[in-house]
Amino acid sequence: MGEKVVSGGFDLSDRQRYRHRLRQCLAGLERLLEEKRFDRPQNLMGLEIELNLVGSDGFPRMLNHAVLERIASPDFQTELGQFNLEVNIAPHRLSARVLDQLAEELRTGLGYADRKAQELAARIVMIGILPTLTSDDLVAANLSEVDRYHLLNEQIMTARGEEISVDIQGVERLTYSAESIAAEAACTSVQLHLQVTPGRFADVWNAAQAATAAQIAVGANAPFAFGRELWRESRPELFLQATDTRPAELQAQGVRPRTWFGERWIDGVFDLFEENLKYFPALLPLSGEEDPQQVLDEGGTPSLYELVLHNGTVYRWNRPVYGIVNGVPHLRVENRVLPAGPTVTDVIANAAFYYGLVRTLADEQRPVWGRLAFDDAARNFTEACRHGIDAELLWPSRRRLGGVVRVPAVRLVRDELLPMAAAGLDAWGVDAADRDRYLGVIEERCKRRVNGASWQAAAFHRELRAGLSREAALAAMTRRYCELTRTEEPVHLWPA
């Protein structure tokens, strides 16, 4: 949701007008689909990474605007918290040496940004949740000085009607109450975009949903929040609770949270946008002037402004995206599952695994979503968040009688999903050297049972055993993490 908005209240007529506009946009999308107005296959992918600013002491630095002024590049933008930035990589075609090219662009861009941050006594680090963040850091005063963030905070808190309550039981328990959505800023992720045609959208989205648990299991990198050791990937649960507009009564009634995995496999992209209107009230009822039907009648491409804005306030882990380039509309699947980091090599390895696996799963004659219940896919997601590399997942059996079996994630990935990812990268036309290098990183994580989360937890407990206090141990671990990310050795090779 990158639209610039102006802070201000909304009255009843604003919401009624917005709801009417949303329905017009949905009808416009339906007509675009019926008339086959969308872009032809492009095999395009894109990448966004949310970043943290830290000091030499390992604690957050609240100065993203000052750092952005020094960076002075449109590739870097604000994020929710003043200790956050986001970097956007231009779309690339999935082919040839694209993975190495992406890695080089990221190293160059992040290296430049980090040098500019150092001018202000800060460093840039990729991590799912910065372990040294505290509840004192995550207050409304530390939201970025951008109207849309403050308006979103105001509207979520108004819809909820009471304080945000976070309660996560993991290795330890975290309970936390706040008067703002600032805890959402703790959750920094990688977003992987894949442009798809309408005819392919359902297969790709379903495949991405099925793949999420494996992505989290091998890529978990957020075991701490507010000084507590929680789930191996605590970010999705913290994000869900930090953005929850439902008071306890609506939760008890089964009202859906705005951050959710979903509840069914889909038949087309229209299903998801229709669900957005059906289940989720508007948070930002800002209406434009465009009439989508008139624009279509005149041969143009409607922006579907209200539909896009509303979609940006529904936080699916695989989100549908409507976009326009050079006057031609297109659709993307935005995969929002992965945490940031630890290194550029790790990020690109995670991307290679995702793009390869999704391609093969979407191409299968007997798709996995025809053999795996959606509820089992959702349970897999939660299991992977809780246990990371040690998770056990439900997956369709390859035996003659079929059925679903429970299998360790590392074995499933190593024996079945990595070969599928390799075949998928081959189908995209990715160079074999890139394929083997980056999928090899995933294979080694499985062999050694090491990812960012397991390394962080082990390093923290080592510092505790050395006699440091909890706060000092978290800070020492974070400083060491920051040092090792700059070696560009993938996390499975870091000293234990």
Side-chain angles (χ1 to χ4, degrees), residues 93-110:
R93 192 173 300 279
L94 265 167
S95 64
R97 300 303 300 272
V98 64
L99 299 176
D100 261 353
Q101 185 181 351
L102 284 168
E104 183 58 30
E105 288 183 24
L106 272 176
R107 289 191 185 100
T108 300
L110 292 176

mmCIF file with all atom_site columns, all heavy atoms in Angstrom, residues 93-110:
data_model
loop_
_atom_site.group_PDB
_atom_site.id
_atom_site.type_symbol
_atom_site.label_atom_id
_atom_site.label_alt_id
_atom_site.label_comp_id
_atom_site.label_asym_id
_atom_site.label_entity_id
_atom_site.label_seq_id
_atom_site.pdbx_PDB_ins_code
_atom_site.Cartn_x
_atom_site.Cartn_y
_atom_site.Cartn_z
_atom_site.occupancy
_atom_site.B_iso_or_equiv
_atom_site.pdbx_formal_charge
_atom_site.auth_seq_id
_atom_site.auth_comp_id
_atom_site.auth_asym_id
_atom_site.auth_atom_id
_atom_site.pdbx_PDB_model_num
ATOM 1   N N   . ARG A 1 93  ? 13.727 -10.880 -15.923 1.00 0.00 ? 93  ARG A N   1
ATOM 2   C CA  . ARG A 1 93  ? 13.195 -12.077 -16.566 1.00 0.00 ? 93  ARG A CA  1
ATOM 3   C C   . ARG A 1 93  ? 13.832 -13.310 -15.933 1.00 0.00 ? 93  ARG A C   1
ATOM 4   O O   . ARG A 1 93  ? 15.050 -13.351 -15.722 1.00 0.00 ? 93  ARG A O   1
ATOM 5   C CB  . ARG A 1 93  ? 13.471 -12.040 -18.065 1.00 0.00 ? 93  ARG A CB  1
ATOM 6   C CG  . ARG A 1 93  ? 12.694 -13.105 -18.855 1.00 0.00 ? 93  ARG A CG  1
ATOM 7   C CD  . ARG A 1 93  ? 12.884 -12.906 -20.352 1.00 0.00 ? 93  ARG A CD  1
ATOM 8   N NE  . ARG A 1 93  ? 12.414 -11.598 -20.768 1.00 0.00 ? 93  ARG A NE  1
ATOM 9   C CZ  . ARG A 1 93  ? 11.146 -11.296 -21.002 1.00 0.00 ? 93  ARG A CZ  1
ATOM 10  N NH1 . ARG A 1 93  ? 10.203 -12.226 -20.833 1.00 0.00 ? 93  ARG A NH1 1
ATOM 11  N NH2 . ARG A 1 93  ? 10.800 -10.090 -21.402 1.00 0.00 ? 93  ARG A NH2 1
ATOM 12  N N   . LEU A 1 94  ? 13.022 -14.287 -15.600 1.00 0.00 ? 94  LEU A N   1
ATOM 13  C CA  . LEU A 1 94  ? 13.518 -15.518 -14.988 1.00 0.00 ? 94  LEU A CA  1
ATOM 14  C C   . LEU A 1 94  ? 14.182 -16.378 -16.059 1.00 0.00 ? 94  LEU A C   1
ATOM 15  O O   . LEU A 1 94  ? 13.532 -17.182 -16.735 1.00 0.00 ? 94  LEU A O   1
ATOM 16  C CB  . LEU A 1 94  ? 12.362 -16.279 -14.336 1.00 0.00 ? 94  LEU A CB  1
ATOM 17  C CG  . LEU A 1 94  ? 12.143 -16.046 -12.845 1.00 0.00 ? 94  LEU A CG  1
ATOM 18  C CD1 . LEU A 1 94  ? 10.802 -16.597 -12.412 1.00 0.00 ? 94  LEU A CD1 1
ATOM 19  C CD2 . LEU A 1 94  ? 13.264 -16.679 -12.043 1.00 0.00 ? 94  LEU A CD2 1
ATOM 20  N N   . SER A 1 95  ? 15.484 -16.206 -16.213 1.00 0.00 ? 95  SER A N   1
ATOM 21  C CA  . SER A 1 95  ? 16.216 -16.978 -17.212 1.00 0.00 ? 95  SER A CA  1
ATOM 22  C C   . SER A 1 95  ? 17.709 -16.774 -17.001 1.00 0.00 ? 95  SER A C   1
ATOM 23  O O   . SER A 1 95  ? 18.133 -15.907 -16.231 1.00 0.00 ? 95  SER A O   1
ATOM 24  C CB  . SER A 1 95  ? 15.837 -16.540 -18.640 1.00 0.00 ? 95  SER A CB  1
ATOM 25  O OG  . SER A 1 95  ? 16.215 -15.194 -18.856 1.00 0.00 ? 95  SER A OG  1
ATOM 26  N N   . ALA A 1 96  ? 18.503 -17.594 -17.657 1.00 0.00 ? 96  ALA A N   1
ATOM 27  C CA  . ALA A 1 96  ? 19.957 -17.439 -17.732 1.00 0.00 ? 96  ALA A CA  1
ATOM 28  C C   . ALA A 1 96  ? 20.584 -17.247 -16.349 1.00 0.00 ? 96  ALA A C   1
ATOM 29  O O   . ALA A 1 96  ? 20.327 -18.019 -15.429 1.00 0.00 ? 96  ALA A O   1
ATOM 30  C CB  . ALA A 1 96  ? 20.303 -16.294 -18.683 1.00 0.00 ? 96  ALA A CB  1
ATOM 31  N N   . ARG A 1 97  ? 21.398 -16.199 -16.182 1.00 0.00 ? 97  ARG A N   1
ATOM 32  C CA  . ARG A 1 97  ? 22.130 -15.967 -14.932 1.00 0.00 ? 97  ARG A CA  1
ATOM 33  C C   . ARG A 1 97  ? 21.406 -14.962 -14.035 1.00 0.00 ? 97  ARG A C   1
ATOM 34  O O   . ARG A 1 97  ? 22.040 -14.189 -13.316 1.00 0.00 ? 97  ARG A O   1
ATOM 35  C CB  . ARG A 1 97  ? 23.545 -15.459 -15.243 1.00 0.00 ? 97  ARG A CB  1
ATOM 36  C CG  . ARG A 1 97  ? 24.400 -16.394 -16.069 1.00 0.00 ? 97  ARG A CG  1
ATOM 37  C CD  . ARG A 1 97  ? 24.555 -17.778 -15.436 1.00 0.00 ? 97  ARG A CD  1
ATOM 38  N NE  . ARG A 1 97  ? 25.176 -17.733 -14.122 1.00 0.00 ? 97  ARG A NE  1
ATOM 39  C CZ  . ARG A 1 97  ? 26.495 -17.767 -13.918 1.00 0.00 ? 97  ARG A CZ  1
ATOM 40  N NH1 . ARG A 1 97  ? 27.310 -17.863 -14.943 1.00 0.00 ? 97  ARG A NH1 1
ATOM 41  N NH2 . ARG A 1 97  ? 26.979 -17.754 -12.703 1.00 0.00 ? 97  ARG A NH2 1
ATOM 42  N N   . VAL A 1 98  ? 20.090 -14.997 -14.030 1.00 0.00 ? 98  VAL A N   1
ATOM 43  C CA  . VAL A 1 98  ? 19.320 -14.003 -13.293 1.00 0.00 ? 98  VAL A CA  1
ATOM 44  C C   . VAL A 1 98  ? 19.618 -14.031 -11.796 1.00 0.00 ? 98  VAL A C   1
ATOM 45  O O   . VAL A 1 98  ? 19.635 -12.988 -11.138 1.00 0.00 ? 98  VAL A O   1
ATOM 46  C CB  . VAL A 1 98  ? 17.804 -14.191 -13.548 1.00 0.00 ? 98  VAL A CB  1
ATOM 47  C CG1 . VAL A 1 98  ? 17.312 -15.535 -13.023 1.00 0.00 ? 98  VAL A CG1 1
ATOM 48  C CG2 . VAL A 1 98  ? 17.001 -13.057 -12.914 1.00 0.00 ? 98  VAL A CG2 1
ATOM 49  N N   . LEU A 1 99  ? 19.883 -15.196 -11.227 1.00 0.00 ? 99  LEU A N   1
ATOM 50  C CA  . LEU A 1 99  ? 20.102 -15.287 -9.784  1.00 0.00 ? 99  LEU A CA  1
ATOM 51  C C   . LEU A 1 99  ? 21.396 -14.593 -9.383  1.00 0.00 ? 99  LEU A C   1
ATOM 52  O O   . LEU A 1 99  ? 21.428 -13.817 -8.414  1.00 0.00 ? 99  LEU A O   1
ATOM 53  C CB  . LEU A 1 99  ? 20.089 -16.745 -9.340  1.00 0.00 ? 99  LEU A CB  1
ATOM 54  C CG  . LEU A 1 99  ? 18.775 -17.494 -9.596  1.00 0.00 ? 99  LEU A CG  1
ATOM 55  C CD1 . LEU A 1 99  ? 18.909 -18.962 -9.209  1.00 0.00 ? 99  LEU A CD1 1
ATOM 56  C CD2 . LEU A 1 99  ? 17.624 -16.843 -8.821  1.00 0.00 ? 99  LEU A CD2 1
ATOM 57  N N   . ASP A 1 100 ? 22.475 -14.864 -10.113 1.00 0.00 ? 100 ASP A N   1
ATOM 58  C CA  . ASP A 1 100 ? 23.732 -14.178 -9.823  1.00 0.00 ? 100 ASP A CA  1
ATOM 59  C C   . ASP A 1 100 ? 23.607 -12.678 -10.083 1.00 0.00 ? 100 ASP A C   1
ATOM 60  O O   . ASP A 1 100 ? 24.190 -11.858 -9.362  1.00 0.00 ? 100 ASP A O   1
ATOM 61  C CB  . ASP A 1 100 ? 24.860 -14.758 -10.674 1.00 0.00 ? 100 ASP A CB  1
ATOM 62  C CG  . ASP A 1 100 ? 25.701 -15.769 -9.910  1.00 0.00 ? 100 ASP A CG  1
ATOM 63  O OD1 . ASP A 1 100 ? 25.484 -15.925 -8.689  1.00 0.00 ? 100 ASP A OD1 1
ATOM 64  O OD2 . ASP A 1 100 ? 26.564 -16.407 -10.523 1.00 0.00 ? 100 ASP A OD2 1
ATOM 65  N N   . GLN A 1 101 ? 22.852 -12.316 -11.112 1.00 0.00 ? 101 GLN A N   1
ATOM 66  C CA  . GLN A 1 101 ? 22.648 -10.899 -11.405 1.00 0.00 ? 101 GLN A CA  1
ATOM 67  C C   . GLN A 1 101 ? 21.917 -10.207 -10.267 1.00 0.00 ? 101 GLN A C   1
ATOM 68  O O   . GLN A 1 101 ? 22.292 -9.099  -9.839  1.00 0.00 ? 101 GLN A O   1
ATOM 69  C CB  . GLN A 1 101 ? 21.856 -10.757 -12.704 1.00 0.00 ? 101 GLN A CB  1
ATOM 70  C CG  . GLN A 1 101 ? 21.678 -9.317  -13.167 1.00 0.00 ? 101 GLN A CG  1
ATOM 71  C CD  . GLN A 1 101 ? 20.862 -9.217  -14.445 1.00 0.00 ? 101 GLN A CD  1
ATOM 72  O OE1 . GLN A 1 101 ? 20.557 -10.221 -15.093 1.00 0.00 ? 101 GLN A OE1 1
ATOM 73  N NE2 . GLN A 1 101 ? 20.510 -7.998  -14.817 1.00 0.00 ? 101 GLN A NE2 1
ATOM 74  N N   . LEU A 1 102 ? 20.880 -10.840 -9.754  1.00 0.00 ? 102 LEU A N   1
ATOM 75  C CA  . LEU A 1 102 ? 20.153 -10.285 -8.614  1.00 0.00 ? 102 LEU A CA  1
ATOM 76  C C   . LEU A 1 102 ? 21.061 -10.140 -7.404  1.00 0.00 ? 102 LEU A C   1
ATOM 77  O O   . LEU A 1 102 ? 21.017 -9.126  -6.693  1.00 0.00 ? 102 LEU A O   1
ATOM 78  C CB  . LEU A 1 102 ? 18.967 -11.183 -8.263  1.00 0.00 ? 102 LEU A CB  1
ATOM 79  C CG  . LEU A 1 102 ? 17.741 -11.109 -9.162  1.00 0.00 ? 102 LEU A CG  1
ATOM 80  C CD1 . LEU A 1 102 ? 16.794 -12.255 -8.841  1.00 0.00 ? 102 LEU A CD1 1
ATOM 81  C CD2 . LEU A 1 102 ? 17.027 -9.772  -8.977  1.00 0.00 ? 102 LEU A CD2 1
ATOM 82  N N   . ALA A 1 103 ? 21.871 -11.161 -7.149  1.00 0.00 ? 103 ALA A N   1
ATOM 83  C CA  . ALA A 1 103 ? 22.777 -11.114 -6.000  1.00 0.00 ? 103 ALA A CA  1
ATOM 84  C C   . ALA A 1 103 ? 23.746 -9.942  -6.123  1.00 0.00 ? 103 ALA A C   1
ATOM 85  O O   . ALA A 1 103 ? 23.995 -9.219  -5.146  1.00 0.00 ? 103 ALA A O   1
ATOM 86  C CB  . ALA A 1 103 ? 23.534 -12.437 -5.876  1.00 0.00 ? 103 ALA A CB  1
ATOM 87  N N   . GLU A 1 104 ? 24.285 -9.736  -7.312  1.00 0.00 ? 104 GLU A N   1
ATOM 88  C CA  . GLU A 1 104 ? 25.231 -8.644  -7.514  1.00 0.00 ? 104 GLU A CA  1
ATOM 89  C C   . GLU A 1 104 ? 24.555 -7.288  -7.330  1.00 0.00 ? 104 GLU A C   1
ATOM 90  O O   . GLU A 1 104 ? 25.107 -6.374  -6.711  1.00 0.00 ? 104 GLU A O   1
ATOM 91  C CB  . GLU A 1 104 ? 25.849 -8.744  -8.902  1.00 0.00 ? 104 GLU A CB  1
ATOM 92  C CG  . GLU A 1 104 ? 26.911 -7.692  -9.194  1.00 0.00 ? 104 GLU A CG  1
ATOM 93  C CD  . GLU A 1 104 ? 28.070 -7.733  -8.201  1.00 0.00 ? 104 GLU A CD  1
ATOM 94  O OE1 . GLU A 1 104 ? 28.382 -8.823  -7.682  1.00 0.00 ? 104 GLU A OE1 1
ATOM 95  O OE2 . GLU A 1 104 ? 28.667 -6.669  -7.948  1.00 0.00 ? 104 GLU A OE2 1
ATOM 96  N N   . GLU A 1 105 ? 23.342 -7.134  -7.870  1.00 0.00 ? 105 GLU A N   1
ATOM 97  C CA  . GLU A 1 105 ? 22.626 -5.870  -7.718  1.00 0.00 ? 105 GLU A CA  1
ATOM 98  C C   . GLU A 1 105 ? 22.312 -5.591  -6.252  1.00 0.00 ? 105 GLU A C   1
ATOM 99  O O   . GLU A 1 105 ? 22.429 -4.447  -5.787  1.00 0.00 ? 105 GLU A O   1
ATOM 100 C CB  . GLU A 1 105 ? 21.332 -5.904  -8.531  1.00 0.00 ? 105 GLU A CB  1
ATOM 101 C CG  . GLU A 1 105 ? 21.556 -5.827  -10.033 1.00 0.00 ? 105 GLU A CG  1
ATOM 102 C CD  . GLU A 1 105 ? 20.261 -5.800  -10.815 1.00 0.00 ? 105 GLU A CD  1
ATOM 103 O OE1 . GLU A 1 105 ? 19.220 -5.397  -10.249 1.00 0.00 ? 105 GLU A OE1 1
ATOM 104 O OE2 . GLU A 1 105 ? 20.279 -6.180  -11.999 1.00 0.00 ? 105 GLU A OE2 1
ATOM 105 N N   . LEU A 1 106 ? 21.908 -6.623  -5.526  1.00 0.00 ? 106 LEU A N   1
ATOM 106 C CA  . LEU A 1 106 ? 21.616 -6.439  -4.106  1.00 0.00 ? 106 LEU A CA  1
ATOM 107 C C   . LEU A 1 106 ? 22.867 -6.071  -3.326  1.00 0.00 ? 106 LEU A C   1
ATOM 108 O O   . LEU A 1 106 ? 22.835 -5.163  -2.480  1.00 0.00 ? 106 LEU A O   1
ATOM 109 C CB  . LEU A 1 106 ? 21.001 -7.718  -3.531  1.00 0.00 ? 106 LEU A CB  1
ATOM 110 C CG  . LEU A 1 106 ? 19.490 -7.861  -3.619  1.00 0.00 ? 106 LEU A CG  1
ATOM 111 C CD1 . LEU A 1 106 ? 19.061 -9.224  -3.106  1.00 0.00 ? 106 LEU A CD1 1
ATOM 112 C CD2 . LEU A 1 106 ? 18.803 -6.757  -2.804  1.00 0.00 ? 106 LEU A CD2 1
ATOM 113 N N   . ARG A 1 107 ? 23.959 -6.757  -3.574  1.00 0.00 ? 107 ARG A N   1
ATOM 114 C CA  . ARG A 1 107 ? 25.198 -6.441  -2.844  1.00 0.00 ? 107 ARG A CA  1
ATOM 115 C C   . ARG A 1 107 ? 25.630 -5.006  -3.123  1.00 0.00 ? 107 ARG A C   1
ATOM 116 O O   . ARG A 1 107 ? 26.045 -4.279  -2.216  1.00 0.00 ? 107 ARG A O   1
ATOM 117 C CB  . ARG A 1 107 ? 26.300 -7.415  -3.226  1.00 0.00 ? 107 ARG A CB  1
ATOM 118 C CG  . ARG A 1 107 ? 26.095 -8.814  -2.688  1.00 0.00 ? 107 ARG A CG  1
ATOM 119 C CD  . ARG A 1 107 ? 27.329 -9.691  -2.850  1.00 0.00 ? 107 ARG A CD  1
ATOM 120 N NE  . ARG A 1 107 ? 27.004 -11.041 -2.427  1.00 0.00 ? 107 ARG A NE  1
ATOM 121 C CZ  . ARG A 1 107 ? 26.704 -12.041 -3.268  1.00 0.00 ? 107 ARG A CZ  1
ATOM 122 N NH1 . ARG A 1 107 ? 26.691 -11.824 -4.573  1.00 0.00 ? 107 ARG A NH1 1
ATOM 123 N NH2 . ARG A 1 107 ? 26.418 -13.239 -2.798  1.00 0.00 ? 107 ARG A NH2 1
ATOM 124 N N   . THR A 1 108 ? 25.523 -4.593  -4.378  1.00 0.00 ? 108 THR A N   1
ATOM 125 C CA  . THR A 1 108 ? 25.930 -3.230  -4.734  1.00 0.00 ? 108 THR A CA  1
ATOM 126 C C   . THR A 1 108 ? 25.027 -2.204  -4.064  1.00 0.00 ? 108 THR A C   1
ATOM 127 O O   . THR A 1 108 ? 25.498 -1.245  -3.439  1.00 0.00 ? 108 THR A O   1
ATOM 128 C CB  . THR A 1 108 ? 25.893 -3.054  -6.259  1.00 0.00 ? 108 THR A CB  1
ATOM 129 O OG1 . THR A 1 108 ? 26.786 -3.988  -6.865  1.00 0.00 ? 108 THR A OG1 1
ATOM 130 C CG2 . THR A 1 108 ? 26.302 -1.638  -6.640  1.00 0.00 ? 108 THR A CG2 1
ATOM 131 N N   . GLY A 1 109 ? 23.704 -2.417  -4.171  1.00 0.00 ? 109 GLY A N   1
ATOM 132 C CA  . GLY A 1 109 ? 22.757 -1.464  -3.603  1.00 0.00 ? 109 GLY A CA  1
ATOM 133 C C   . GLY A 1 109 ? 22.811 -1.402  -2.096  1.00 0.00 ? 109 GLY A C   1
ATOM 134 O O   . GLY A 1 109 ? 22.838 -0.312  -1.501  1.00 0.00 ? 109 GLY A O   1
ATOM 135 N N   . LEU A 1 110 ? 22.838 -2.562  -1.455  1.00 0.00 ? 110 LEU A N   1
ATOM 136 C CA  . LEU A 1 110 ? 22.886 -2.586  0.010   1.00 0.00 ? 110 LEU A CA  1
ATOM 137 C C   . LEU A 1 110 ? 24.222 -2.072  0.534   1.00 0.00 ? 110 LEU A C   1
ATOM 138 O O   . LEU A 1 110 ? 24.280 -1.422  1.581   1.00 0.00 ? 110 LEU A O   1
ATOM 139 C CB  . LEU A 1 110 ? 22.613 -4.000  0.513   1.00 0.00 ? 110 LEU A CB  1
ATOM 140 C CG  . LEU A 1 110 ? 21.195 -4.531  0.295   1.00 0.00 ? 110 LEU A CG  1
ATOM 141 C CD1 . LEU A 1 110 ? 21.097 -5.982  0.757   1.00 0.00 ? 110 LEU A CD1 1
ATOM 142 C CD2 . LEU A 1 110 ? 20.172 -3.677  1.033   1.00 0.00 ? 110 LEU A CD2 1
#
